[in-house]
Amino acid sequence: MSDPTTSPVAGRLSFVDRYLAVWILVAMAAGLGLGRLVPGLGDALAKVTVTGVSLPIALGLLVMMYPVLAKVRYDRLDTVTGDRRLLLPSLLLNWVLGPALMFALAWIFLPDLPEYRTGLIIVGLARCIAMVIIWNDLACGDREAAAVLVALNSAFQVLAFSLLGWFYLSVLPGWLGLEQTALNVSVWEIARSVLIFLGIPLAAGFLTRRLGEKTKGRTWYETKLIPRIGPFALYGLLFTIVVLFALQGDAITSQPFDVARIALPLLVYFALMWAGAMALGKVVGLGYPKATTLAFTAAGNNFELAIAVAIATFGATSGQALAGVVGPLIEVPVLIGLVYVALAVRRYFPDPIAPAAKPAAEPEDSARV
């Protein structure tokens, strides 16, 4: 079997990006090892909170998202907001098909484990707002489109999360004669998660671009500042993964069979949502960048919110909380793998503007993070 790092697709990436899967796996292993080997580390990290939000995780996510959002060309957002071929499929995938699919998979794979099943359904309701920006950027998706779709998901999340939780955990199971569960979460808890994990880095990225271009010009901003702050996205990502897995390292490593039971429906979910969205993007005539953005925003989930809701409602040691933590355990390696799949299928999405003149390698592709 040939080495994937020597393929033409991998050759377009920088050394750091080419081996990103390795760095992520090392960070996951380090976090699990620390959580398992250092007594009380998970409890100590869990206590470092501000208004119920884990400060280490919030710090890592802010550092991770800021450089990517500083790269967004905010003056191009109007070309995305008017694109119904992108916006309507995104709303359908995220708020109709995604929660329904996770509900079905949770009941199919975990009919005898109500706590884990409820945790998975909560994960399915928490649509993407954070790490998906990183995966989209690595796969050379449309940055502006990602910013719009993430903002759109955030607005819908504040308005619809509690209502959907009530429907999928109480109403629909009752209609189907299944076990019902209550989910009590305030709109403020959801809004707070959105404001912290999206609002702060979005505002910082927007102001950085606006002030940087105004004082130094766009050329300086794109060629000098962005390359300097870009690597911090990777540092923030790896730090977040280490902290996240250290928090639940003991629970994950001491219950491997339970983790495997939770992981299986998640694997099916990510594969179906990503592949279905990518195919839909091609069918409706989206080019590769926007189809990729559609796929990653449909497949990704807001695990920060899902974990926070599960802990606040059912407790930190509950099965619902463990299911929420297993979410990123599976999502991170699966979606980074799908980055490589996306780049590999890129050739099936000819450039809608100039299909015969597309360069062999685009300058942006070698400096995505």
Side-chain angles (χ1 to χ4, degrees):
M1 183 179 292
S2 61
D3 183 356
T5 63
T6 62
S7 69
V9 170
R12 298 177 183 178
L13 301 173
S14 67
F15 173 80
V16 173
D17 290 348
R18 188 181 307 177
Y19 294 97
L20 182 60
V22 176
W23 316 140
I24 288 176
L25 290 173
V26 169
M28 291 170 61
L32 289 172
L34 287 172
R36 181 73 176 180
L37 299 175
V38 180
L41 177 62
D43 292 337
L45 289 173
K47 292 178 181 178
V48 185
T49 62
V50 177
T51 64
V53 176
S54 170
L55 191 58
I57 291 179
L59 176 63
L61 287 169
L62 295 179
V63 173
M64 175 189 77
M65 293 179 64
Y66 164 67
V68 179
L69 289 170
K71 295 177 184 179
V72 171
R73 287 285 300 274
Y74 294 93
D75 55 337
R76 294 179 179 173
L77 294 184
D78 59 339
T79 64
V80 178
T81 55
D83 191 346
R84 292 185 178 181
R85 293 182 304 172
L86 176 65
L87 296 182
L88 293 180
S90 178
L91 289 174
L92 174 66
L93 289 164
N94 275 287
W95 297 104
V96 179
L97 297 180
L101 176 62
M102 188 68 88
F103 173 86
L105 292 173
W107 273 100
I108 291 170
F109 286 94
L110 303 171
D112 57 328
L113 297 171
E115 290 191 0
Y116 297 155
R117 185 178 63 238
T118 298
L120 280 185
I121 293 172
I122 293 172
V123 170
L125 299 178
R127 310 312 300 168
C128 67
I129 69 166
M131 276 193 183
V132 70
I133 294 178
I134 290 286
W135 313 137
N136 176 77
D137 212 46
L138 285 169
C140 304
D142 189 310
R143 285 187 186 131
E144 289 67 41
V148 169
L149 294 186
V150 165
L152 189 64
N153 276 339
S154 300
F156 268 84
Q157 199 149 251
V158 173
L159 298 173
F161 185 93
S162 296
L163 179 62
L164 287 173
W166 169 72
F167 177 76
Y168 279 104
L169 292 174
S170 297
V171 176
L172 185 56
W175 289 351
L176 299 175
L178 303 172
E179 182 179 344
Q180 296 172 283
T181 305
L183 180 64
N184 299 313
V185 55
S186 70
V187 172
W188 164 240
E189 289 178 283
I190 302 164
R192 180 181 62 189
S193 174
V194 171
L195 289 172
I196 292 174
F197 296 121
L198 176 66
I200 293 175
L202 181 61
F206 174 79
L207 290 174
T208 300
R209 178 172 281 279
R210 186 175 181 85
L211 296 176
E213 290 187 352
K214 185 176 181 179
T215 56
K216 295 285 189 175
R218 179 163 293 174
T219 300
W220 173 87
Y221 186 87
E222 297 285 354
T223 62
K224 299 294 184 181
L225 183 61
I226 289 299
R228 290 177 184 173
I229 66 176
F232 284 92
L234 175 60
Y235 306 152
L237 172 63
L238 297 179
F239 174 79
T240 302
I241 292 171
V242 170
V243 172
L244 187 63
F245 288 99
L247 280 167
Q248 292 285 343
D250 184 65
I252 291 172
T253 55
S254 63
Q255 303 177 63
F257 182 70
D258 287 354
V259 170
R261 288 284 305 272
I262 299 169
L264 189 55
L266 284 168
L267 286 170
V268 176
Y269 172 83
F270 292 133
L272 290 178
M273 288 297 294
W274 188 90
M278 200 74 170
L280 179 60
K282 184 171 177 61
V283 169
V284 300
L286 296 177
Y288 171 82
K290 287 186 177 179
T292 298
T293 299
L294 179 66
F296 280 101
T297 52
N301 292 90
N302 181 4
F303 64 82
E304 306 91 355
L305 176 61
I307 293 171
V309 168
I311 290 175
T313 306
F314 302 102
T317 60
S318 65
Q320 292 89 342
L322 178 60
V325 171
V326 174
L329 173 69
I330 305 304
E331 179 176 337
V332 169
V334 168
L335 291 192
I336 192 61
L338 289 173
V339 167
Y340 289 91
V341 175
L343 292 171
V345 303
R346 188 176 187 175
R347 62 182 180 273
Y348 299 111
F349 289 81
D351 190 329
I353 298 176
K358 190 173 182 64
E362 297 178 2
E364 283 189 321
D365 293 357
S366 62
R368 280 285 169 177
V369 171

